[in-house]
Amino acid sequence: MKEYLVDIRNERLSFFTPAGEVKALNDVSLHVREGEVLGIVGESGSGKSVTSYSLMGLTAHPGRLVGGDLYFNGHYINEMSEREMQKIRGNEVSIIFQDPMTSLNPVFTIGNQIREVILLHTNKTRKEANDRARELLQLVGINEPDKRLKQYPHELSGGMRQRVMIAIALACEPKLLIADEPTTALDVTIQAQILELMRDLKEKLGMSIILITHDLGVVAGMCDHIAVMYAGKVVEYGTTDEIFYQPSHEYTKGLLRSIPNLNEREHKRLVPIEGLPVDMLNPPAGCPFAPRCRSCMKICLSSMPNYTQVSDHHSSACWLLDKEKFERQAEGQA
Amino acid sequence: MAEKNLVSFQLKVEDFLPATDAEKQSLTQMRPGVSFWKDAMRRMKKNKVAMISLCVILIIMIFSFILPSYYPYHYGQQIQGSEYLGPMTYSPQEQVRIDAGEKVFPHILGTDNLGRDYAVRVMVGSRISLSVGLIAAGIILVIGSIYGAVSGFFGGWVDLIMMRIVDIIYTVPDILLIVLISFALKDPMQTLAEKPGFAWIQTIGVNLISIFLVFALLYWVGMARIVRSQVLTLKQNEYVTAARALGAGSGRIIRKHLLTNSIGTLIVMTTLQIPSAIFTESFLSFLGLGVAIPLPSLGSLASDALNGLNTYPYLLLAPALLISLIILSFNLFGDGLRDAFDPKMKS
Amino acid sequence: MKNNKLVEVQHLKQYFPVKSDKMFEKKVVKAVDDVSFYINKGETLGLVGESGCGKTTTGRTLLRLHEPTGGKIIYDGKDITHVKMLPYRRKMQIVFQDPYASLDPRMTVGDIVGEAIDIHHLAANARERRERIVELLSLVGLNTEHANRYPHEFSGGQRQRVGIARALAVNPEFIVCDEPISALDVSIQAQVVNMFEELQERMGLTYLFIAHNLSVVKHISNRIGVMYLGKLVELADSYELTFNSVHPYTRSLISAIPIADPKVSRGTNRIVLEGDVPSPVNPPSGCHFRTRCAYADERCAAEEPEWREVSSGHFAACHHLEKVQ
């Protein structure tokens, strides 16, 4: 357990809404080592954001952890009180959100918001905190930091606001940075800048990153390992190369087939994944992807598949892999 | 990731056969539809206060509109010798008739100064008050919503001028205008009432007509402002642009898209206008500016009752209580409706 | 290339008034500033650019949803800049970006699709109307039973299909697709893109496909135009633009796109632009892109670059095209 900075085991989390129980996370297991970047890829309803928020104890009401164990940096998150969580938030683990406009408080200056987190977790004086804030703005590539410290969020552009978010997140040198769709709301050229910045900072500060996104292009360039999530379950997990070049799960394969590649020389029809996203109030009994899967078998509809280890770091939850094993066994006996 | 061991689970060859489309389909049924109204009704039903208010309103409606037809007494019927009877008492003449074996329906609320059965007068009074309230609310709804929608939709100069007119109307003192109009209309209305087919003017009274006229002239402005602000917000929505792109004209957009989406607000506002209109009418009738005698209204009954207040307090009690009950239940019901339709409450 | 122009805009301008701090000062934001292009019948012209470039405004102005401040709109040879649009609403339609906001929540799907039929009197009676609605729904992959349901009961991808069915109800020739897949999940995007392509083949439609995702635009378009702060900076055939672009902005845009291929991603030398997109209210003088361009000089600040044909069918506006190549 100590080898991992983040170790989530068999997490189950549900939202108890008036309409019914929404099983947002259904047996999710992930881990991140120090200095590593994990990408969590999934669409809406996959549970990718919910997982990270639960790690920080930020699960919104009416959500509740129903099962599993969460370990982070030697802490056992399940049993930590709110006060204890507050000590590690912003300090050992930070998060940056998708929309920088709504995550920054419009009535406080940038300087005020950066100083707030520093003053909360360290014993620095206000002046020292201000110096550190200036340092941080330079670190994230914002020029004229003194001027910026006095400005309000609405005076900055989207890209700059996201840099400020990163500055706030890094203020106390956390071991883990959670980036929840950090560039989805930004223009492509600005996205490139921010991703470049995150790569640089990771080298400089040696921190781990959990990068949550739906964009396969973004994870290809940034991540060491990738977890593909669908409807509250991690369906495939492996190194970046394995996921892109040897995808095992039908959902992963489907995603890769359905995105147009800029470098393609000829026009090939996209192969979409048929069907609709899962209704989380009424998920199917078996594999959640079954109704949309080209290779769906009878057992897929009734039972949840187990994880099969495809290689040292690569696993996938699919009955097709069990089928191969089953057939090999049958041949062996024959 | 570690593999789990399948201990109590045997795999068979058939498990690995491909699933048919039908089998896959069965897992992706759409949930039964929930329309906007059903959703709102569901929320309403949970609101006990609102549901009780609704029952009270229904009871009052039956009381006012249906019961008098089956009641043995008429509101204008003056019974000699039965003046100022207390509740459930008989006059000497009636006592004689009972002793003779005749069945005389009791005066549940007694009688008034002219020997008229009070219970039926209260019922009819309540009917008049409610009718005035409903009609007035209807007038306000129609004029106010159209005016507000047109002003909000067109914006620019049209909106500017229309809203300045609204501002001016707000400054006009309503009671004064009612008095002036009744005064001005008295003679023309009298001459009109003598013509055939216009006898109803006499029954209702010039005053009441003036009240309706003033409602139509002045009271719709509050509704107009609210509808206008709704329309201003709604017209930013992309489905309005989509309707324009399809070729829809202004009238169609206002009718089908803007007013339809404001229906929640319209219903709530109208429901809350009813008690306000009833109160205004009661107040005016109390002052003598309301219905013509012998038609009773709750306000005029209360006003008449003041004369003999010390000796016959029950004459004031019934109409006053009923006014309060009507206004309270409509207000509570309107609040309940507002909560039921409020999109922010949707989770 | 046949001269088969269906839609053309010439020197199109769309300026919006903006509140100014000083009294009597009229400030404008030049959302679309002298844009000219044409689209051939049956073709798809893609329009890409980042926020504030004016691509969405161009699409909407083309349909006269905003009245143009200047320039001409020509449809099938006729100047329609100032005419009554009602008959043209049957030929030119639009599909919107946000499937949640573009459908009236109080109308059933059937009524939403049937609204155009009602406006233009395309059905003689209720039965015909019903038949046409069912036909349209099946064209986009929805069934009859969906006609009585409300938009909030559907997923984003299904709602977008309803929007497409609505646009098809008038039997249009030309459709402006205004970021139609940006708000959808990745796995649904491919379904909708395919649907656009199939419908185009089947019905001979012409598209103006507006999006910020160049990969998708390249996939579906024959030619692509790149916009920056209200101006067209480059226009070429899709293949040509992707592999032989000449304008510095186009090149950095292409290089910024993350490729879903780890080896390629690691090997790429990205052209990372410095600075942010300037505000459209106060664009830089001369060439708007000069504040972020590696090749900018005094000439770029003084003079706006000319729109030139660089090679057959390939246009760009830049003073330093030779250097970039």
Side-chain angles (χ1 to χ4, degrees):
Chain A
M1 181 183 63
K2 202 45 180 113
E3 61 179 289
Y4 295 136
L5 179 66
V6 175
D7 195 358
I8 298 177
R9 297 181 180 192
N10 308 108
E11 181 176 3
R12 278 177 218 279
L13 196 150
S14 295
F15 285 88
F16 296 93
T17 70
E21 181 186 353
V22 177
K23 297 203 177 99
L25 296 179
N26 192 358
D27 191 9
V28 169
S29 301
L30 303 168
H31 50 253
V32 185
R33 289 184 196 78
E34 287 204 25
E36 179 184 89
V37 181
L38 171 71
I40 305 185
V41 172
E43 302 175 293
S44 46
S46 59
K48 56 190 195 300
S49 298
V50 175
T51 316
S52 312
Y53 288 23
S54 72
L55 191 64
M56 289 183 75
L58 288 175
T59 311
H61 177 81
R64 229 182 37 231
L65 197 62
V66 178
D69 302 301
L70 307 170
Y71 297 96
F72 167 66
N73 202 17
H75 305 288
Y76 183 49
I77 304 285
N78 296 43
E79 287 175 359
M80 285 178 68
S81 68
E82 176 64 12
R83 277 192 77 85
E84 289 168 331
M85 286 305 302
Q86 282 174 5
K87 291 215 188 88
I88 65 169
R89 284 184 207 138
N91 196 4
E92 292 172 34
V93 54
S94 295
I95 184 164
I96 57 178
F97 299 97
Q98 173 176 346
D99 186 358
M101 190 60 218
T102 51
S103 5
L104 288 174
N105 193 327
V107 301
F108 290 109
T109 61
I110 305 293
N112 189 313
Q113 298 189 54
I114 303 180
R115 281 192 298 272
E116 180 181 17
V117 77
I118 300 174
L119 293 172
L120 204 57
H121 293 292
T122 66
N123 292 323
K124 291 195 161 78
T125 64
R126 196 177 179 281
K127 181 167 182 318
E128 287 170 340
N130 211 37
D131 291 333
R132 173 87 178 126
R134 197 180 302 122
E135 208 181 285
L136 285 164
L137 286 185
Q138 279 168 336
L139 184 69
V140 298
I142 294 182
N143 49 10
E144 299 179 291
D146 285 301
K147 175 175 160 205
R148 301 292 178 197
L149 283 174
K150 297 203 179 79
Q151 286 185 323
Y152 288 87
H154 68 264
E155 297 181 71
L156 303 177
S157 69
M160 282 227 251
R161 280 183 230 140
Q162 198 58 301
R163 289 173 195 263
V164 168
M165 285 295 304
I166 296 175
I168 296 176
L170 298 180
C172 301
E173 294 182 335
K175 298 200 109 166
L176 174 67
L177 174 69
I178 300 178
D180 189 0
E181 305 251 25
T183 56
T184 307
L186 302 173
D187 285 323
V188 162
T189 50
I190 310 294
Q191 171 175 282
Q193 290 178 356
I194 300 291
L195 291 175
E196 183 89 5
L197 173 67
M198 283 173 65
R199 260 191 295 260
D200 280 340
L201 291 171
K202 182 205 132 199
E203 297 299 315
K204 261 192 216 157
L205 305 173
M207 63 186 177
S208 311
I209 304 180
I210 293 182
L211 180 59
I212 303 167
T213 179
H214 61 264
D215 189 336
L216 285 169
V218 168
V219 291
M222 291 280 297
C223 304
D224 303 311
H225 286 86
I226 298 177
V228 179
M229 287 185 73
Y230 188 82
K233 219 169 147 55
V234 175
V235 295
E236 189 167 358
Y237 191 102
T239 65
T240 308
D241 282 5
E242 283 169 332
I243 296 285
F244 277 94
Y245 300 125
Q246 288 142 14
S248 164
H249 198 276
E250 282 301 315
Y251 176 60
T252 318
K253 289 187 194 165
L255 275 185
L256 291 168
R257 271 192 297 258
S258 70
I259 31 178
N261 192 334
L262 197 60
N263 288 331
E264 286 280 315
R265 299 252 154 190
E266 10 163 298
H267 179 274
K268 276 195 263 178
R269 250 309 141 81
L270 300 173
V271 184
I273 304 179
E274 296 303 334
L276 302 168
V278 174
D279 178 359
M280 293 306 284
L281 274 172
N282 248 335
C287 173
F289 188 62
R292 302 175 77 178
C293 184
R294 319 205 289 191
S295 321
C296 176
M297 304 179 290
K298 292 198 194 309
I299 194 173
C300 304
L301 296 171
S302 57
S303 332
M304 188 71 86
N306 308 298
Y307 286 105
T308 310
Q309 204 73 20
V310 177
S311 78
D312 284 343
H313 299 282
H314 188 182
S315 60
S316 168
C318 183
W319 282 116
L320 286 169
L321 298 168
D322 288 90
K323 179 183 181 199
E324 276 174 30
K325 251 195 303 170
F326 186 79
E327 284 169 351
R328 269 183 275 132
Q329 273 178 352
E331 268 172 44
Q333 285 168 355
Chain B
M1 309 235 106
E3 273 186 54
K4 277 199 215 148
N5 262 321
L6 309 167
V7 178
S8 54
F9 188 69
Q10 291 284 39
L11 294 173
K12 305 178 280 291
V13 181
E14 303 82 63
D15 289 332
F16 294 115
L17 289 174
T20 62
D21 280 337
E23 287 170 325
K24 288 204 263 186
Q25 278 285 62
S26 67
L27 287 175
T28 52
Q29 295 296 10
M30 269 188 89
R31 262 179 279 147
V34 180
S35 80
F36 167 76
W37 296 106
K38 278 193 212 143
D39 207 25
M41 284 303 106
R42 191 179 49 90
R43 268 202 292 272
M44 268 301 286
K45 285 185 192 145
K46 285 195 197 154
N47 186 343
K48 293 206 182 77
V49 173
M51 293 313 285
I52 294 175
S53 309
L54 182 61
C55 291
V56 171
I57 291 173
L58 288 173
I59 293 173
I60 294 177
M61 292 281 187
I62 296 175
F63 177 77
S64 324
F65 287 93
I66 302 182
L67 215 48
S69 318
Y70 297 97
Y71 212 72
Y73 293 109
H74 185 263
Y75 71 86
Q77 182 186 18
Q78 297 177 9
I79 307 174
Q80 298 287 10
S82 297
E83 294 82 5
Y84 283 122
L85 285 176
M88 301 303 280
T89 55
Y90 289 107
S91 69
Q93 293 90 326
E94 286 169 345
Q95 199 56 41
V96 166
R97 282 156 62 201
I98 292 171
D99 294 335
E102 200 186 313
K103 279 218 169 82
V104 177
F105 198 84
H107 298 288
I108 299 176
L109 289 177
T111 58
D112 67 358
N113 60 333
L114 293 177
R116 295 176 288 204
D117 180 88
Y118 210 56
V120 76
R121 277 185 74 74
V122 166
M123 282 186 230
V124 176
S126 145
R127 177 200 291 184
I128 302 288
S129 296
L130 276 171
S131 308
V132 171
L134 289 168
I135 295 174
I139 294 175
I140 290 173
L141 174 66
V142 172
I143 301 180
S145 61
I146 295 178
Y147 194 93
V150 167
S151 177
F153 180 76
F154 288 104
W157 285 111
V158 173
D159 183 34
L160 203 68
I161 293 175
M162 285 176 94
M163 280 298 116
R164 297 295 80 79
I165 294 177
V166 163
D167 288 337
I168 293 172
I169 292 179
Y170 254 116
T171 63
V172 174
D174 43 359
I175 310 290
L176 186 61
L177 198 64
I178 294 176
V179 174
L180 286 175
I181 290 186
S182 332
F183 192 69
L185 285 181
K186 208 185 205 118
D187 290 327
M189 281 289 154
Q190 290 283 50
T191 23
L192 191 57
E194 273 142 31
K195 299 220 174 71
F198 284 96
W200 51 267
I201 297 182
Q202 278 285 33
T203 343
I204 301 178
V206 182
N207 282 332
L208 206 55
I209 295 179
S210 315
I211 293 178
F212 279 131
L213 216 61
V214 170
F215 269 115
L217 287 171
L218 300 182
Y219 283 82
W220 52 266
V221 289
M223 175 73 86
R225 273 205 183 151
I226 294 198
V227 172
R228 171 183 174 269
S229 73
Q230 271 277 44
V231 166
L232 282 178
T233 323
L234 289 173
K235 75 172 181 178
Q236 314 277 13
N237 281 312
E238 210 157 55
Y239 57 81
V240 174
T241 316
R244 276 207 302 139
L246 288 175
S250 317
R252 193 190 171 87
I253 294 180
I254 292 179
R255 256 189 6 254
K256 290 231 146 188
H257 294 281
L258 297 173
L259 285 179
T260 343
N261 275 290
S262 317
I263 256 187
T265 313
L266 292 177
I267 290 181
V268 173
M269 282 301 297
T270 311
T271 312
L272 291 175
Q273 284 288 0
I274 296 173
S276 152
I278 293 177
F279 185 77
T280 306
E281 182 276 325
S282 304
F283 165 63
L284 289 170
S285 299
F286 188 81
L287 290 179
L289 292 170
V291 291
I293 27 176
L295 262 185
S297 107
L298 293 175
S300 68
L301 288 174
S303 171
D304 294 340
L306 275 185
N307 288 330
L309 192 57
N310 288 326
T311 345
Y312 311 105
Y314 62 89
L315 289 178
L316 180 60
L317 203 65
L321 211 66
L322 206 52
I323 294 178
S324 311
L325 202 63
I326 292 176
I327 293 180
L328 186 65
S329 46
F330 268 105
N331 269 324
L332 290 175
F333 183 60
D335 273 347
L337 275 180
R338 187 196 283 131
D339 289 343
F341 284 132
D342 190 343
K344 287 184 208 117
M345 308 272 281
K346 285 204 184 117
S347 52
Chain C
M1 254 188 289
K2 278 189 276 174
N3 190 354
N4 207 354
K5 298 183 195 178
L6 184 61
V7 181
E8 183 172 4
V9 290
Q10 291 174 354
H11 306 292
L12 191 66
K13 295 182 182 58
Q14 183 62 263
Y15 299 167
F16 292 116
V18 148
K19 285 204 175 82
S20 156
D21 299 324
K22 308 190 194 110
M23 262 225 298
F24 296 123
E25 191 199 14
K26 284 205 181 115
K27 253 199 197 167
V28 285
V29 58
K30 295 186 179 167
V32 179
D33 194 6
D34 199 348
V35 166
S36 308
F37 58 80
Y38 64 84
I39 312 177
N40 290 319
K41 204 162 165 38
E43 142 176 81
T44 301
L45 176 70
L47 204 55
V48 293
E50 296 176 301
S51 41
C53 70
K55 55 191 194 297
T56 296
T57 312
T58 306
R60 293 187 184 206
T61 307
L62 210 151
L63 287 180
R64 301 251 321 268
L65 291 174
H66 303 296
E67 291 300 333
T69 318
K72 274 201 214 159
I73 305 168
I74 301 170
Y75 187 83
D76 209 2
K78 298 191 189 66
D79 184 345
I80 63 165
T81 324
H82 301 291
V83 303
K84 273 203 171 336
M85 279 302 284
L86 191 59
Y88 287 97
R89 298 276 179 233
R90 288 197 50 189
K91 304 194 186 184
M92 312 163 76
Q93 269 304 317
I94 180 168
V95 175
F96 293 92
Q97 170 176 3
D98 188 346
Y100 296 86
S102 59
L103 303 180
D104 187 336
R106 297 290 166 84
M107 289 172 77
T108 59
V109 160
D111 282 336
I112 291 174
V113 173
E115 183 166 20
I117 300 177
D118 297 331
I119 296 174
H120 297 276
H121 309 293
L122 298 174
N125 52 47
R127 194 180 51 86
E128 248 185 63
R129 180 181 183 274
R130 179 110 192 126
E131 280 173 10
R132 179 91 180 113
I133 292 176
V134 170
E135 197 188 314
L136 288 163
L137 288 177
S138 68
L139 255 184
V140 298
L142 296 170
N143 355 335
T144 326
E145 63 145 35
H146 291 142
N148 291 325
R149 290 186 177 251
Y150 289 87
H152 68 262
E153 304 180 52
F154 293 93
S155 69
Q158 288 174 310
R159 280 186 233 203
Q160 200 61 300
R161 290 167 194 252
V162 174
I164 296 172
R166 170 175 61 187
L168 294 175
V170 292
N171 234 326
E173 298 169 347
F174 171 63
I175 301 186
V176 173
C177 310
D178 187 3
E179 306 241 34
I181 58 169
S182 317
L184 304 176
D185 275 332
V186 172
S187 67
I188 306 295
Q189 286 186 9
Q191 289 180 11
V192 178
V193 167
N194 277 6
M195 177 178 300
F196 272 113
E197 288 186 312
E198 279 161 20
L199 288 169
Q200 182 173 44
E201 270 174 35
R202 227 161 133 174
M203 301 171 70
L205 295 167
T206 306
Y207 290 144
L208 175 66
F209 198 89
I210 303 171
H212 59 261
N213 183 340
L214 189 55
S215 315
V216 172
V217 174
K218 180 208 162 222
H219 176 85
I220 197 177
S221 313
N222 301 101
R223 288 184 301 137
I224 303 178
V226 181
M227 286 184 72
Y228 188 81
L229 280 186
K231 294 213 173 275
L232 253 185
V233 296
E234 189 164 1
L235 188 127
D237 165 80
S238 309
Y239 184 102
E240 178 77 3
L241 193 100
T242 315
F243 297 109
N244 300 327
S245 62
V246 297
H247 194 283
Y249 175 61
T250 315
R251 293 199 139 192
S252 54
L253 191 64
I254 291 173
S255 119
I257 293 173
I259 304 288
D261 188 332
K263 292 199 184 98
V264 172
S265 249
R266 282 178 221 135
T268 315
N269 280 326
R270 287 210 201 293
I271 305 169
V272 181
L273 291 177
E274 295 295 323
D276 292 302
V277 184
S279 156
V281 184
N282 256 332
S285 62
C287 173
H288 293 332
F289 184 61
R290 64 175 172 84
T291 53
R292 302 167 83 195
C293 184
Y295 307 94
D297 63 13
E298 310 84 45
R299 187 173 172 212
C300 302
E303 230 182 283
E304 266 191 41
E306 216 185 285
W307 183 248
R308 275 194 288 148
E309 188 159 10
V310 172
S311 59
S312 169
H314 188 161
F315 301 83
C318 177
H319 292 306
H320 302 289
L321 291 170
E322 318 73 38
K323 279 197 211 150
V324 178
Q325 280 174 354

